[in-house]
Structures are given as structure tokens and as C-alpha cells.
Amino acid sequence: MPSVFTLYALRTARFIGLLIAFYAVIVYPACGDLEEDMEEIAFEVTPERATLMEGETLQLELLDEFTGAATIAWRSRDESVATVDNNGLVRAEGVGSTVIDVTRFEEDMDGTLQEIISDTVIITVESREGGGDTVIEEGVYTTCSDTESINFLDQCDLADGGGDELGEFSGQCLASISCSEGYQIVDLATQEVQSEGTTSSVGAVFGTIGLKNGDDAALFTYGAQGNILCPASAGFCQLSVGTTTNDAMTAGGDPASGEAAFVGPSRGLQFIEPVSDGSGFGIRKVSIAPGAFQGELVSVWLPATGGTAPLLALTRGTSSFLYEVEGDTPNANPLNFGLDARRVRCEQRSNGTYVCAVSVFGADRVGFTEWTVTNSPTSPSFADVGDGPVGIDIHRTADNRFFVLATGFNDNTITEIEYFGPSTAPNVETRAAAAGCQSPGHGVYKEDTEGLKVVYSCFNSARYVVERSRFE
């Protein structure tokens, strides 16, 4: 069991007593009811409490309705447990519990900073150790034909010994493996196939992801001719059928948050989101039409903030463009990543900046950009990889290292990249795929109690492979 020490939340929001007394006696001497004359002003930090694993980060949000010049101070009462920067980004350092104080200071007439109001957040940090001996065993495993992609259905927190659950499915590490016209749901920790099925309504199946909305769970499957959204307790059911998409039409965001986005050349940018009454899921139809983008929409990525947060949308073509999208408007100056890009994935730095990687199939390279959400993505840098990178994954370690996994579909290679930043050459290691794996298409990182593993699909040999990361 994780080692945890828990405190109960103490949420405070206080004016300095002297300031209130001055207001009551001098400004409102004749008022019979001060509360009726004073307008409530919000100063609140969310969430009120949070539990993190060692090494994880959390962005706190501040609602400050006060006006005028001020200094906002963020302070952790125990930096051995968690630290916080000047923008409210919390980093879990060690097991225990601490309080984050957020305080608004304003200058008085003498130029001295005075505390005006404050709020607190309780942070509890759990250990990644003590999770038992749950591992994803290394090996080459047989699965369904024309194996496309591997997606984790839930959090699959093997490093802390936690289990996975999505609807009627449960195990240690649930993954969906998509095939030519079907899928398998597998517990990667045991190689047990929990469910499998076929469908012709979407053509070739490119991926299946899991979605949660409270107690409700659903499977979203995307393929060459359409998309399907079904309860996790049911088989395939047809949602829509469109014109042919491509193998980089993919889910974005965090499936466990109950929201995802997907794209298609004929449908533009769409969202799957929880129904407003908290039950089930709905499709928000075309948010942005395909004509707003140059090229065919193939991939999308959004921060795990949900709603209408800014996101990144990728197109493919002779020139492939990465768009920042806010609301219903793509930015006018997208980044050009070159010939036939396929997928974009991002991970967040401790300072809140996102490191994003793009697989560029036609140019045999991976592109990198950094994105603060409030500013446009930076100009891309590139690293050469194996022939024909399709899928891509990016992983941030507890000590803030960034690893990127790319597959060489045409030359049966696997490439791992350690990314250091836009001004430093990355460390690139390319190796042959495992014996018996032909045409590796999509790979993902997963950390278990042994360390960091890579899991990748083998399109032309009906297999998937589990290996230890070369950077482990």
C-alpha cells in the first residue's frame, strides 16, 4: 500500500482585521448593516485538496476578483513534500502532506507590502514504491491481424500497484489493441484477452480508447470509414460513417478525464464530452470545419483541462501543419513540419510549458516544439529516425527527463530520443525491432515496478512487443 499521511483541508480567506475595522468605522459610520453594503469579492484557489504521486505536477488555478496592483505569493509549508513556483505549479517531492499558501499582497501608502487576503490548498503525496511486483513482462505476444495501435483504457498505474477498471473490464493494465476490422481488450500484466470483436461499419480499426464520466464508461473506436461510441459493457454499435480517414486519426487529451477530441478530413474537429446531467457521453458535432485547415486533419492533442481549452491540431500533406486552436479559430500562422506528418503528443514541464513531438512519416523524422498555451508553439527542431514513423509517444520522468518513442514502419526499427531542449541536440538511439515484429506502427511508454517499458504493435505480423526502454 502507498505510504500516505493525510490532513483535512483548512480553507481560509481573510482580510486584515485592521483594514476591516477602518472600513467599518471611518468609511461606513452610519450604516446599520455593513454586510449589506460590502460586495463579496472572490479570492479562491482550486482544487481545495489534491493527491499526487512522487514526481507528478499539478497546476493550481487562482480566481482573484480584486483589482489594482498586487503581488501574489505562492508558498509551500514543507518543500520536502511539495514545492510550488510563482505561477502555482505544484511538484510532488516526497511522501507526506503539506499546505500551499496563496496570498495577495498590496502596497500601502508607505510602499510596504501588506497581506490583503489568502487561501490554502492541501497537497498529499503518495509513494510510487511499495506497489508489489506488478510488471508488464517483456516478450513478443500474438494478437489479432493487421495490428494497428495500442491504447491504455485507464490510468494503468503499475508503479503504485493500482488496478484498472473501465465498465465491466478490470485488471492491472487494460489496453485496447486495434486490428484490421476489430479489436482486443487485453490486460498487459497477464496477457489475458478480456474481450474481442469485429466490425465492418468503420472499416479498418485504427484505435479504441476508454472514456469515463462518473460511474459511466464508454469505448470510442475510430477507423477508416467512421467512428463508434458504445457503453463499455456493450459490443460495437454504429455512431456515424463518413468518408475514408487515415491511420493517424486519433484520440486526444486524457481519456480518464471523460473527454476526448478527434479529427477527420471530412468532419473537421469534433469532441466527445460528458452529457450535462453527468450520465453518458455526447458528441459535439463539427466544431471547426475541415476547410479551416491546410491539408487533411490527422491528429489532435489537448491539455487535460477539458472544455474549450486551447489545443493543437495536426494536418498532413506535402506540407503538414500544426495549428494552435482556441475556441473555434485555428491560428493564422501554423508550424510547417514537412511531408506527411501523422501524430502529435505532448508532456508538461514542471514550469507548465508543454514539450510536443510530431511524427513526420514522409520525412523520416520527429519534430519538436514547446508550447505555453498562452503563447504560440515555438519554431520546430527535428531529429532523424527510422524509415516511416507513424505513431509517437512522449514520457516525462520524475526527474524531468523527456523521452520520445517512434517506430520505423518501413525498416522495422524502434527509435528512442532523449529531448533536452530546442538549443541542444537530442540523444537519438535507433535499434531493430524485436525478432518476429514486422512493420511496427504505434508505440507507447509505460512505467511498471521494474522501470520504464516500451510497448509497440507489429502491423504485418499480428503481434505486440514489450521491451525495456533503452534509457531506463
Side-chain angles (χ1 to χ4, degrees):
M1 294 293 292
S3 174
V4 185
F5 174 65
T6 304
L7 293 178
Y8 290 95
L10 172 63
R11 178 160 286 274
T12 62
R14 56 190 183 276
F15 283 104
I16 298 174
L18 182 60
L19 180 62
I20 294 178
F22 175 82
Y23 223 75
V25 174
I26 304 301
V27 180
Y28 287 95
C31 292
D33 190 345
L34 178 62
E35 291 185 359
E36 292 183 0
D37 292 300
M38 293 187 66
E39 180 182 355
E40 290 188 7
I41 302 175
F43 186 88
E44 182 180 16
V45 184
T46 54
E48 295 183 17
R49 61 170 67 238
T51 299
L52 303 175
M53 302 298 296
E54 289 177 294
E56 289 185 335
T57 60
L58 171 68
Q59 180 63 57
L60 300 178
E61 301 295 334
L62 172 61
L63 173 63
D64 182 3
E65 294 183 344
F66 286 76
T67 59
T71 298
I72 305 297
W74 304 78
R75 183 180 70 89
S76 171
R77 298 184 189 178
D78 188 346
E79 292 194 340
S80 69
V81 175
T83 57
V84 61
D85 68 13
N86 292 333
N87 297 311
L89 185 71
V90 175
R91 178 176 172 79
E93 303 291 351
V95 176
S97 187
T98 189
V99 177
I100 304 295
D101 294 299
V102 186
T103 307
R104 179 185 175 92
F105 290 93
E106 296 182 8
E107 289 187 1
D108 61 17
M109 289 184 294
D110 296 327
T112 303
L113 287 178
Q114 299 288 346
E115 178 182 339
I116 300 302
I117 195 169
S118 68
D119 200 3
T120 58
V121 175
I122 301 298
I123 300 294
T124 300
V125 178
E126 298 183 354
S127 174
R128 288 188 178 273
E129 299 179 354
D133 57 358
T134 306
V135 299
I136 305 177
E137 296 288 350
E138 296 179 64
V140 179
Y141 302 98
T142 300
T143 183
C144 41
S145 62
D146 293 343
T147 311
E148 271 283 349
S149 65
I150 297 177
N151 290 312
F152 297 110
L153 292 182
D154 200 3
Q155 292 300 300
C156 184
D157 289 327
L158 291 173
D160 70 353
D164 253 7
E165 184 175 352
L166 187 83
E168 293 185 352
F169 306 116
S170 63
Q172 289 298 312
C173 186
L174 296 177
S176 61
I177 300 174
S178 58
C179 310
S180 56
E181 291 190 354
Y183 75 101
Q184 286 188 340
I185 294 179
V186 180
D187 184 350
L188 293 183
T190 62
Q191 291 82 54
E192 175 190 359
V193 178
Q194 294 203 5
S195 178
E196 56 187 328
T198 59
T199 179
S200 59
S201 61
V202 299
V205 177
F206 295 142
T208 296
I209 65 168
L211 300 172
K212 283 186 174 181
N213 180 22
D215 293 332
D216 292 322
L219 294 173
F220 173 66
T221 298
Y222 51 94
Q225 296 177 350
N227 318 289
I228 295 174
L229 181 67
C230 296
S233 59
F236 277 118
C237 55
Q238 184 166 336
L239 176 72
S240 64
V241 175
T243 57
T244 300
T245 60
N246 48 68
D247 61 355
M249 176 184 173
T250 184
D254 180 6
S257 70
E259 175 159 338
F262 65 97
V263 295
S266 65
R267 288 179 292 278
L269 178 63
Q270 302 175 310
F271 289 87
I272 305 170
E273 53 190 3
V275 175
S276 59
D277 62 6
S279 62
F281 297 86
I283 298 290
R284 175 156 34 105
K285 289 297 182 183
V286 179
S287 299
I288 305 177
F293 301 91
Q294 299 180 59
E296 296 181 350
L297 281 164
V298 292
S299 183
V300 64
W301 185 88
L302 64 159
T305 52
T308 57
L311 55 85
L312 298 177
L314 181 67
T315 67
R316 65 176 288 192
T318 304
S319 295
S320 302
F321 294 99
L322 184 67
Y323 288 84
E324 181 185 29
V325 179
E326 185 167 7
D328 60 358
T329 306
N331 65 332
N333 298 299
L335 299 179
N336 188 347
F337 279 81
L339 176 64
D340 197 5
R342 296 299 182 94
R343 177 174 285 195
V344 56
R345 285 293 180 265
C346 305
E347 273 285 353
Q348 193 174 32
R349 290 188 184 277
S350 58
N351 65 3
T353 300
Y354 288 95
V355 175
C356 301
V358 175
S359 58
V360 188
F361 182 84
D364 301 333
R365 62 185 185 178
V366 167
F368 296 94
T369 182
E370 299 200 11
W371 182 45
T372 64
V373 178
T374 55
N375 295 319
S376 298
T378 59
S379 297
S381 58
F382 296 93
D384 293 331
V385 297
D387 186 355
V390 182
I392 198 165
D393 195 27
I394 185 168
H395 175 79
R396 196 199 79 177
T397 67
D399 57 353
N400 276 311
R401 298 169 69 191
F402 286 84
F403 302 148
V404 172
L405 176 65
T407 54
F409 187 85
N410 296 325
D411 63 357
N412 298 327
T413 57
I414 303 297
T415 299
E416 290 191 78
I417 305 168
E418 183 169 8
Y419 174 79
F420 303 104
S423 60
T424 304
N427 178 17
V428 181
E429 294 193 11
T430 299
R431 64 183 183 273
C437 179
Q438 298 177 29
S439 304
H442 294 269
V444 289
Y445 279 114
K446 179 51 61 178
E447 190 174 17
D448 63 14
T449 52
E450 289 185 340
L452 187 62
K453 304 287 180 63
V454 297
V455 186
Y456 55 90
S457 59
C458 309
F459 181 79
N460 283 327
S461 55
R463 291 179 170 91
Y464 68 91
V465 177
V466 180
E467 296 178 340
R468 189 179 295 272
S469 168
R470 293 300 187 265
F471 292 135
E472 176 57 35

